[in-house]
Amino acid sequence: TGLPNRRAFDLGLDAEIERARADHTPLTLLIADVDHFKKFNDSFGHRVGDEVLKLVGRVLKSMLKGRDKPARYGGEEFCMVLPTTDLDGGVAVAEQIRKAIAQKALKSARTGQSYGQVTISLGCASLEPSDTAASMMDRADAALYLAKTYGRNRTCTQSDLEEARKAG
């Protein structure tokens, strides 16, 4: 994908949490997961699955600038650290990325065969005073799974988690 791996991401997240606390600035974390990724591998083979991952990587690299840090977290999961970005700003970035990926057409360069639409679901969490990297990741991951539960190809936040808990 051309993106840093999980180890580099973990180190970067820890450093950005320290910096955000020292500078008293917001920090937002996004976790993205390719929707129905197994379908691409099972229907078209692992080479097409690899192309899906590369497509997501290219979009993330093209859309995230400055101190924003995208990484491949593992499998079909990607993480993005957004320094000096609050939750609303993180949602705006997530939605831009989600829409950009959904607009891409994935097809065979050789035959022109369409492989279908690629979509992602995203979870978004912002740094809280008591957070560790792990607790922030857990909240973003729970928001990601809420997005999957609500039908995929969407962004959910830590605020959505609270609303879902209240609703029962």
Side-chain angles (χ1 to χ4, degrees):
T1 61
L3 295 176
N5 64 15
R6 180 176 180 164
R7 177 165 163 67
F9 166 79
D10 288 341
L11 293 172
L13 178 58
D14 288 337
E16 290 299 339
I17 288 173
E18 285 181 30
R19 187 178 319 183
R21 288 201 167 117
D23 296 345
H24 305 287
T25 56
L27 177 69
T28 295
L29 171 66
L30 305 177
I31 299 180
D33 187 77
V34 177
D35 296 327
H36 304 293
F37 182 72
K38 188 173 175 358
K39 175 190 81 172
F40 291 103
N41 279 337
D42 291 351
S43 299
F44 305 109
H46 290 283
R47 286 185 56 223
V48 171
D50 289 347
E51 290 304 314
V52 169
L53 298 175
K54 289 176 187 175
L55 169 82
V56 173
R58 283 192 304 271
V59 170
L60 295 181
K61 282 171 43 173
S62 72
M63 296 190 79
L64 296 174
K65 303 293 181 203
R67 288 179 31 203
D68 295 344
K69 293 178 176 69
R72 179 159 175 218
Y73 196 67
E76 65 272 13
E77 281 194 331
F78 296 83
C79 290
M80 294 137 274
V81 179
L82 309 176
T84 68
T85 304
D86 64 13
L87 189 64
D88 289 340
V91 170
V93 171
E95 282 296 288
Q96 289 172 349
I97 290 168
R98 185 187 65 75
K99 290 174 183 174
I101 289 171
Q103 291 174 353
K104 302 287 183 193
L106 189 65
K107 59 184 174 182
S108 170
R110 197 179 76 243
T111 67
Q113 176 189 6
S114 174
Y115 297 126
Q117 182 182 27
V118 177
T119 63
I120 62 171
S121 297
L122 296 107
C124 187
S126 60
L127 184 65
E128 300 290 337
S130 63
D131 267 334
T132 62
S135 64
M136 193 175 183
M137 285 288 298
D138 288 346
R139 223 171 33 260
D141 198 44
L144 164 66
Y145 282 95
L146 187 63
K148 296 252 184 209
T149 299
Y150 285 168
R152 295 182 169 83
N153 191 25
R154 67 186 64 229
T155 301
C156 285
T157 70
Q158 64 191 38
S159 301
D160 296 319
L161 288 171
E162 293 166 21
E163 289 176 27
R165 279 189 206 114
K166 288 177 188 173

